[in-house]
Amino acid sequence: MTLSDSKGQSVAVESEVPTVVVLDAKVEDAAAITAVGADAYRLLHEAWFEMATIETIVEQIYSVESLENCIACCRGSADAHFLVAYSGNELAGFLHYDSFGPEPELHRIYVRPEVKRAGVGSTLMATLHDRLRPGDSYMLLVAAANEPAITFYRRHGLSERRRVVDGLEAFRDHMGVALPPDLAPVEALVMAYVKPGATVKPRGAMPMPLTR
């Protein structure tokens, strides 16, 4: 059974997956997110980025301090969601979405390698989409060669908007990271999601954040 606990709501879905609870991240989750995120980022990107580039990125966006600040910002905004998925007392995955840039963006979603393809990522995506209002949209950036991720996003309703010649440069601009000069460009896709429905709910009708 997969249990997805969204803002003010709980949804149980029968599946082969162990029980997973999705909650809003709190700053105390930062260390666990660092451990999962840093390893997952290295594993996923080693095929396209030089290891020195990967470590430069990990040091900046997966430090405990950086994640604590990011989580605090998301908890203070109605248009940002940093979600964590727990299986028992162990972090299974996380998702970071916010509207702090030029347009809403899904910045990152990762799960522990041992629970990959077990429904954790899909549960995180479903929780995010449940929180969006009809007509809301967001974008994300993904390496053009990352076919498994692209297939996953398409399965959850995203479509390709355009191709970006230098995905690293776009990533730098979107995440505010400092990268080494003269890096080889990595082609990326900009994908987009629009929640179906013509009626936009007033902001006052949005459910309150789940607190722990």
Side-chain angles (χ1 to χ4, degrees):
M1 178 186 293
T2 296
L3 177 66
S4 174
D5 205 349
S6 62
K7 290 185 176 178
Q9 297 180 337
S10 297
V11 179
V13 180
E14 294 295 330
S15 73
E16 298 292 328
V17 186
T19 299
V20 173
V21 179
V22 178
L23 302 162
D24 284 293
K26 55 183 181 178
V27 293
E28 291 82 359
D29 294 311
I33 296 169
T34 291
V36 172
D39 287 347
Y41 191 90
R42 292 184 182 104
L43 183 64
L44 177 62
H45 293 91
E46 62 184 359
W48 307 298
F49 302 165
E50 295 181 1
M51 188 53 65
T53 302
I54 292 174
E55 292 304 321
T56 296
I57 293 171
V58 166
E59 287 174 7
Q60 295 176 73
I61 67 173
Y62 285 109
S63 69
V64 172
E65 181 181 7
S66 172
L67 285 165
E68 287 176 342
N69 291 336
C70 183
I71 291 167
C73 288
C74 290
R75 287 184 71 89
S77 172
D79 293 322
H81 307 287
F82 205 124
L83 307 176
V84 286
Y86 274 93
S87 178
N89 294 322
E90 188 169 32
L91 182 71
F94 64 91
L95 177 154
H96 167 209
Y97 159 96
D98 67 47
S99 304
F100 302 145
E103 62 180 307
E105 180 172 358
L106 175 55
H107 291 283
R108 44 191 165 183
I109 175 172
Y110 290 104
V111 301
R112 292 200 336 264
E114 56 267 36
V115 297
K116 205 167 184 179
R117 297 182 179 86
V120 177
S122 292
T123 301
L124 286 163
M125 291 290 283
T127 303
L128 172 63
H129 291 174
D130 282 347
R131 296 183 178 190
L132 300 179
R133 300 163 299 172
D136 280 355
S137 65
Y138 67 82
M139 55 80 64
L140 62 80
L141 192 69
V142 59
N146 191 351
E147 286 294 339
I150 294 169
T151 299
F152 171 82
Y153 292 133
R154 284 175 176 156
R155 191 165 68 245
H156 289 281
L158 283 87
S159 58
E160 180 180 335
R161 180 188 291 176
R162 66 178 185 276
R163 287 184 174 257
V164 177
V165 173
D166 192 348
L168 278 173
E169 181 178 0
F171 177 78
R172 179 199 64 199
D173 295 340
H174 286 234
M175 290 295 289
V177 297
L179 295 175
D182 304 321
L183 293 174
V186 176
E187 187 179 22
L189 296 183
V190 174
M191 301 187 73
Y193 174 82
V194 180
K195 183 164 183 175
T199 303
V200 177
K201 298 178 183 177
R203 291 188 181 275
M206 293 183 69
M208 294 298 292
L210 179 70
T211 57
R212 289 188 281 168

